[in-house]
Amino acid sequence: MQTEAAAPEIAPLATDRGRKWRAVLGRWETLLAGLLVVTAIAGQSISPEFLTTDSFTTGSLDLSEIALMALPLAMVIIAAEIDLSVASVLALSSAVMAYLWSHGQPIEMIIPICVAVGALCGAFNGVLVTRFGLPSLAVTIGTLALFRGLAFVVIGDESVTDFSTAWTDRAFGNFAGTFIPNTMVLFAVLAVAFAVLLHATPFGRSIYAVGANEEAAYFSGLRVKRIKLILFTLSGAVAGLAGGVISLRNSTGAANVGQGFELTVVTAVLLGGISIFGGRGTIAGVILALLLLGGIQKALLLSESISSYWVQIVTGALLVGSVLGPNLARRVADTRRRRSHPLQEVGL
Amino acid sequence: MKSARPHAMRVFLVALALLAALAFAACGDTQDDESDNASESASQEGRADPNAPLKKGLKTVSIPKQLGNPYEEFEHSGVDEALQELDGSNRISGPTDAGASTQIPLINAAVQQKADAIIIAGNDPNAVAPALKQAAQRGVKVVGMDSDVAPDARSVFVNQVTTQLVGENQVESIGKQIDYKGDIAILSATANATNQNAWIDVMKETLKKPKYKDMKLVKIAYGDDDDQKSFQETQGLIQAYPNLAGIISPTTVGVAAAARYLSTSPQKGKLKLTGLGFPNQMRKFVKDGTVDEFQLWVPKDVGYLAGQAAVALASGVITGAEGEKFKAGRLGEYTIGKNGEIVLGPLTTFKADNIDEFDF
Amino acid sequence: MQAASSEGARAGAVAERVLRIRELGLVAALALLIVGTAILEPRFIEASSLRNLALNASILAILAVGQTLVIVTRNVDLSTGSVLGLSAFLAGDLLQGHPGMALPLVFLLGIALGAACGLFNGILVTWGQVPALVVTLGTLYAFRGLAFLWTDGRQVNAETLPDPFLNLGSDSIAGVPILVLIAIVIVLIVGQWLRDYRPGRELYAIGSNPEGARLAGLRADRRVLIAFVLAGALSGLGGVLFTARFGTVDATAGVGYELTVIAAAVVGGVAIFGGTGTVYGAALGALLLGTITSSLIVLRVEAFWQQAAIGALLLLAIALDRLLAVRVDARLRRRSARRAN
């Protein structure tokens, strides 16, 4: 009985190369790349200024902190958790920076402290989720309020705007005379680091395992709790760094920065093909999604006639489409397969 | 589970693709901008020529603090009016929230679209400064309006009234209503807003004068120029300070919200309110006794003056130095003051006997 | 069969007791907070002050009731703030353009708009099988963008709205503000529906065990869809009431509200993983959040502590719920072990 059921080949045999092409083309990242091309064409037809180095410089600068925070958040979501508190950690970090600067500390010392503060916040989230077993969605909604509240407690309604120009120029400026902002170089470095971590190390593989099936991962010996704790801490640390970056870039350290960022970061990650259920997704996808979001925003900004309100509608539609599309495609494929192999259902 | 190598390969492919995209983008870069700006900035550095003809066909972009604010809409309609009168055109481009850095992408977009001048009411004086300075380097003239930005990031600043006069007049307005005795509070807009903080500083200074010695400022609340928040902050002020005699709200959103709250509360008529308000919004409350008087200027004139100044700047009539004069259409001639400030004029007080003369 | 059903009943009784403890806990916390603040500042319990308290919490409570319906089924609705904004502007725009329009019609249209948005969400979640978090995050953006497009920078001013409408937001009947009455009625109706009527109870079943519910023949998809439609309708109602209360409305009405609404529900005992919680708890949660804000203002504590306080409270509530859930679980397991022996 067993051997008979296992015998029939389901799909027609394809050549190795054909299957590989289909594998590449069928991937989410390829779809994103296609959308990028469409955006490039559409954007250029809206405004001849779209495909310029200027657009990249200013557009990517605007998304710097979102891009940074998307990297570790991708890993958190792959592990089937979520962290909605990243923007509040960024705000707390900015507030701490403002406070320390107004008390005479040098930037060189402040930035590591901000990263440490962020890491602490992330660890707090992590402990609540792992040791206390609380759901990360609820926890991070709570810490979203808590951390931003703490930011206000630190610096109140004030803002510090007199950071040293050496540093603000560095945060706002471009790398070595090119059109690439320094913050993008920082992002590129972190992106490569996270990509290597996620895609080429055992730790990265274990993240996928935890996300795909936590129980199985636990029983196969992975230290699930420690992995999650590390991921939350990383998320907080990078958010802390992003807080320092945004404060220097805008020359404003305050508690009300980054309002609403968390949703944009989650959107970028989900759009990048990271499944909300965990276990799937790549850093490459996140990078492409960030480019896509930035490109759409820039195109609409440059348009003289299309209202920039459309950015929100398009973002929302893309987000939903990114999950709905594959679902529908799968359903169509299932129906087609069922029609051509009716006996498959019965296991013959 | 797939092996790690295909994924790593994909990341490197993406990196390659990114580099290729950047190289492609570099083809259409902005070299041509640098060259014609060089000549423009030369004329900018040079002397002002009061007799220079006003250029036609100029395109300006005006950036309010936030979209959907009727005060700002009215103000920026003045910029539209000025540009149209001078055969140019203005585009209003504003952020959907009044955060410190939300105007930056708009400034950059205006520069990319090769605007001749940017007129901006700043949400935060420093956050927008780097972007504005870059705009200036590209030959775009920068005019600050209503809420100033860092002085070195703009050529001129159009102020509706001197900071000093606003602070003094508002304190006097409330003092007169409470017989110069009692606790007062201020319901402001956002905590960063330059104009608000400047006016509040003058109010604090003014309160030190002997005439106001029996008045005490007990609290500054922030309504963030949000109607609901201002409404609730008014509520909170009255709860926390039951002996409050008067509230100054130097923001059109704040004073309207406070008036609306007071008009249905037991403090109506007893707790005095003054501020900077629109006649059309406040008329009801003046007529029903909630508010005795309030003050303002005509916002459209502020915008109009800013538009005229922008065209004058772009035509080389002025450079923003103290003492330069220019003609601002229907408003007459103006002289630039210290730090590039151009003042529209004094405050107007609205009371029951004159409020029907105005429609804005 | 007998053993199973009586065991089910006993499990139900345990859960009921837990819920009641939870709600009593909320009432106790509320009472403690009010009394504590009143001792420090007696003006806090003056009639007008308490009235303001209830008023501020009413709209939040109505939205929290809708959110409860959705969360109980193990979903979430992040678009509630944007739906409120759309509905609020609709109400204001209609009345500004047609001051003579019958108020019930305005309410109906606002609720219908909200229900339509909820239907959209629900279809994507059930038929499209897109997780609720993703759907409502997307519609949060999309609906807000629509609101901006529609308002096109305009604003509805309180001064142009008809007085009877605005009075709804501030008048009282027998000392109780109308808004509060509406909120109480809604909480009672929905609460009873969830407790005593089958479709309502099935929501809990779907939330605690979606697969099991499906296998047991429950039309899970249809129930979830209804939950989203109701949540949207209630957000729509909240929007109309928002305009009545505050008068001046623009495209940013309700921005950021969704997290406060979810916080109110979670603090009120509605577990984020579904299956437990009541609308009474959610309403109490809304009241508690509103009271914290008011009492901090009255005590002249810096407003900054509010957000931190709300965050800490939320974490406390979640931890408490988790503790209770573990206890209930252990107790049920002990009972069934006892039965087996």
Side-chain angles (χ1 to χ4, degrees), chain B residues 66-70 73 95-97 219 225-229 231-233 235-243 253 256-257 260-261 264-267 280-285, chain C residues 41 43-44 48-53 55-56 148 152-155 157-159 161 163 166-167 170 242 245-250 252-254 257 294 297-300 302-303:
Chain B
Q66 186 181 11
L67 287 174
N69 182 320
E73 277 192 36
T96 48
D97 84 84
K219 179 90 168 135
D225 259 352
D226 176 274
D227 187 84
Q228 188 190 352
K229 182 148 196 258
F231 192 89
Q232 287 177 330
E233 287 292 328
Q235 206 177 44
L237 278 174
I238 296 174
Q239 277 188 310
Y241 302 95
N243 292 326
V253 176
R260 209 172 66 248
Y261 178 78
T264 58
S265 80
Q267 285 86 9
N280 282 358
Q281 275 189 330
M282 299 294 287
R283 181 167 294 119
K284 179 165 124 165
F285 304 113
Chain C
E41 181 55 75
R43 230 165 307 270
F44 192 59
S48 62
S49 162
L50 290 177
R51 201 166 53 96
N52 278 334
L53 210 69
L55 261 176
N56 286 341
F148 275 118
D152 198 22
R154 289 176 296 145
Q155 200 186 58
N157 271 323
E159 293 68 40
L161 292 175
D163 278 337
L166 288 175
N167 288 341
S170 45
F242 182 94
R245 171 140 173 78
F246 295 110
T248 304
V249 178
D250 61 20
T252 61
Y257 216 38
S294 296
I297 291 180
V298 160
L299 291 177
R300 305 190 201 174
E302 282 303 346

Side-chain angles (χ1 to χ4, degrees), chain A residues 64-253:
Chain A
S64 304
E65 297 76 26
I66 307 257
L68 285 172
M69 296 195 287
L71 293 171
L73 188 67
M75 303 207 302
V76 168
I77 295 187
I78 290 179
E81 299 288 351
I82 193 165
D83 184 359
L84 287 180
S85 68
V86 285
S88 303
V89 175
L90 176 141
L92 179 57
S93 163
S94 179
V96 165
M97 178 171 226
Y99 179 80
L100 290 175
W101 175 260
S102 58
H103 282 74
Q105 299 298 322
I107 301 274
E108 289 82 353
M109 260 222 346
I110 298 182
I111 297 213
I113 295 181
C114 288
V115 175
V117 166
L120 260 170
C121 293
F124 183 71
N125 280 332
V127 164
L128 286 177
V129 170
T130 55
R131 297 275 164 245
F132 290 76
L134 305 178
S136 57
L137 180 62
V139 165
T140 54
I141 288 182
T143 50
L144 179 154
L146 179 66
F147 293 153
R148 192 169 285 275
L150 286 178
F152 277 105
V153 168
V154 165
I155 194 83
D157 263 339
E158 293 164 21
S159 55
V160 167
T161 53
D162 57 355
F163 296 117
S164 80
T165 36
W167 277 97
T168 56
D169 281 347
R170 215 170 284 167
F172 182 78
N174 292 347
F175 185 69
T178 63
F179 61 90
I180 303 175
N182 287 329
T183 54
M184 279 300 108
V185 173
L186 175 64
F187 170 71
V189 167
L190 278 180
V192 170
F194 277 102
V196 165
L197 180 68
L198 186 61
H199 299 309
T201 64
F203 181 73
R205 283 195 286 280
S206 64
I207 299 178
Y208 281 102
V210 166
N213 189 335
E214 186 171 324
E215 295 238 330
Y218 179 73
F219 285 117
S220 69
L222 290 176
R223 305 185 44 185
V224 174
K225 289 194 177 158
R226 193 163 75 126
I227 292 171
K228 288 192 178 182
L229 182 61
I230 293 177
L231 290 179
F232 276 106
T233 311
L234 261 178
S235 174
V238 172
L241 177 65
V245 169
I246 201 176
S247 310
L248 289 175
R249 186 165 75 80
N250 290 332
S251 202
T252 308

